[in-house]
Amino acid sequence: MARKLQASAGTTAWASESVPYTAETTITTPFGLIEDVIDWPVADPRTALPTAGNRRGPALYSKDEFDLSFSIPFQVQNDNVPFHAALGKVEAVTGTGYTGKKFTELDTLPTISILHEQTDAAFSEIFAGCKADLTLSARRGEALKATMDFVAASRTVDTSKTSFASITPSTLQPYRFWMVGALATVDGSPLASITSIDLKWSNGLEALGSNGARGAYDIAEGEGAGKYDMKIGFLPVDNTKFAAAWADGALVDIVIPFIRAGASLTAATDAVIIELEDCVIMDAPLPLGNKGSLESELSVGPLNTSIEIRVPSGA
């Protein structure tokens, strides 16, 4: 009996494209801890078409344009993440005891290549021209999870691959929710005990088809009015956050750090630091509960954002 294909023989990695929409030849950077199944795009999408005078069923299956969209969920381990494909810009950062990357926003997103290989099936494919939406989420008892919803421009497939990329997964622990502690702030003041974060960047991505081909020549960014969906669960100790929303208060800056090493934000040498800048507080309701502490959800609308990831020097 033939051995079944094994999940342990599947790999995925990414690389920034030096020429947009052109697949990189070396793609070896892992995303992080892949925690769920990745559903890759349909190989040959078609629409069933009936016709008059035919049996009760399709007369043929017409070729559709390729829909090269897929999601990759992973736990964040270090700064080797392609968040620039969703935010726009990445630059190196350095400080006392650390190096790292800071991701900031641009209107036009860069592209990356994504490799998927199944070594026990002699299978390899590359998605080129990838841009993404991004969701960062975490809850008590969980790791910081990134979900990147990609749209690719093209796909190349090799079903008789004999040599495969050397991809080495990181052995670092992921950033965990408990690392936030009491360090999250709203305009410099501590935010009461956080219970969850759900932060989403949506770019309205649209694949623009090329003449005479089923693929795309460009992935276009859409309008940005609905770009952000930012919610932070917390245990309120007073009504100040609701009052700020009700009073149409001043814009605030929110900082949410996951600190793996360092006693404070300024001293952190191993951390993910999420900054939501110039935020409108839209709601922070005081729900009517039937037991225990009340849990609220802070809904905010930022005008700008950034994500900084620090790793210890020499790590």
Side-chain angles (χ1 to χ4, degrees):
M1 179 181 293
R3 188 168 186 265
K4 307 298 189 292
L5 299 182
Q6 300 295 300
S8 58
T11 58
T12 187
W14 67 273
S16 295
E17 291 179 351
S18 53
V19 178
Y21 302 103
T22 301
E24 288 293 300
T25 55
T26 302
I27 308 172
T28 58
T29 304
F31 282 87
L33 293 173
I34 303 294
E35 66 167 26
D36 207 347
V37 173
I38 300 172
D39 291 321
W40 302 102
V42 174
D44 186 15
R46 300 197 179 213
T47 297
L49 298 177
T51 188
N54 189 56
R55 59 177 291 273
R56 186 171 55 85
L60 55 84
Y61 292 85
S62 180
K63 294 181 180 180
D64 297 332
E65 293 179 355
F66 289 124
D67 177 7
L68 300 181
S69 56
F70 54 95
S71 298
I72 298 183
F74 59 94
Q75 295 179 11
V76 181
Q77 294 174 282
N78 54 29
D79 61 339
N80 289 327
V81 291
F83 289 168
H84 51 299
L87 270 70
K89 181 180 180 181
V90 58
E91 56 188 344
V93 294
T94 58
T96 303
Y98 71 86
T99 60
K101 296 173 186 173
K102 186 170 184 177
F103 303 90
T104 53
E105 298 202 43
L106 292 175
D107 287 339
T108 301
L109 302 175
T111 57
I112 68 171
S113 296
I114 295 176
L115 172 71
H116 165 221
E117 292 186 329
Q118 186 70 32
T119 60
D120 56 358
F123 178 83
S124 178
E125 62 180 342
I126 296 175
F127 297 89
C130 298
K131 300 181 182 183
D133 295 338
L134 171 65
T135 299
L136 294 178
S137 61
R139 282 162 182 74
R140 286 179 172 175
E142 298 181 1
L144 175 61
K145 175 183 175 180
T147 301
M148 301 195 72
D149 301 316
F150 288 101
V151 179
S154 64
R155 178 187 202 177
T156 56
V157 176
D158 186 345
T159 57
S160 55
K161 189 77 170 178
T162 56
S163 61
F164 298 91
S166 178
I167 300 169
T168 304
S170 171
T171 58
L172 288 172
Q173 294 288 323
Y175 294 94
R176 298 294 298 270
F177 188 78
W178 59 264
M179 296 175 184
V180 176
L183 297 174
T185 59
V186 177
D187 254 13
S189 299
L191 179 60
S193 300
I194 292 181
T195 58
S196 65
I197 65 166
D198 286 286
L199 312 175
K200 184 166 186 177
W201 291 257
S202 299
N203 292 303
L205 299 174
E206 180 183 4
L208 302 181
S210 56
N211 294 332
R214 298 171 74 184
Y217 67 89
D218 183 55
I219 306 299
E221 300 82 0
E223 57 87 23
K227 181 173 185 176
Y228 305 114
D229 184 5
M230 306 292 186
K231 294 181 170 59
I232 305 165
F234 72 104
L235 303 179
V237 296
D238 53 34
N239 67 13
T240 55
K241 303 301 181 293
F242 176 83
W246 182 255
D248 191 19
L251 302 181
V252 298
D253 294 334
I254 297 175
V255 179
I256 306 171
F258 292 75
I259 297 179
R260 198 158 53 187
S264 67
L265 182 60
T266 55
T269 58
D270 192 351
V272 174
I273 303 168
I274 305 166
E275 296 190 37
L276 311 179
E277 302 170 11
D278 297 325
C279 295
V280 174
I281 296 180
M282 296 183 285
D283 199 12
L286 299 174
L288 184 64
N290 63 351
K291 62 180 180 179
S293 300
L294 294 183
E295 183 172 358
S296 184
E297 187 174 70
L298 185 66
S299 297
V300 300
L303 294 180
N304 205 356
T305 66
S306 67
I307 303 169
E308 182 177 334
I309 304 180
R310 299 176 185 177
V311 294
S313 299

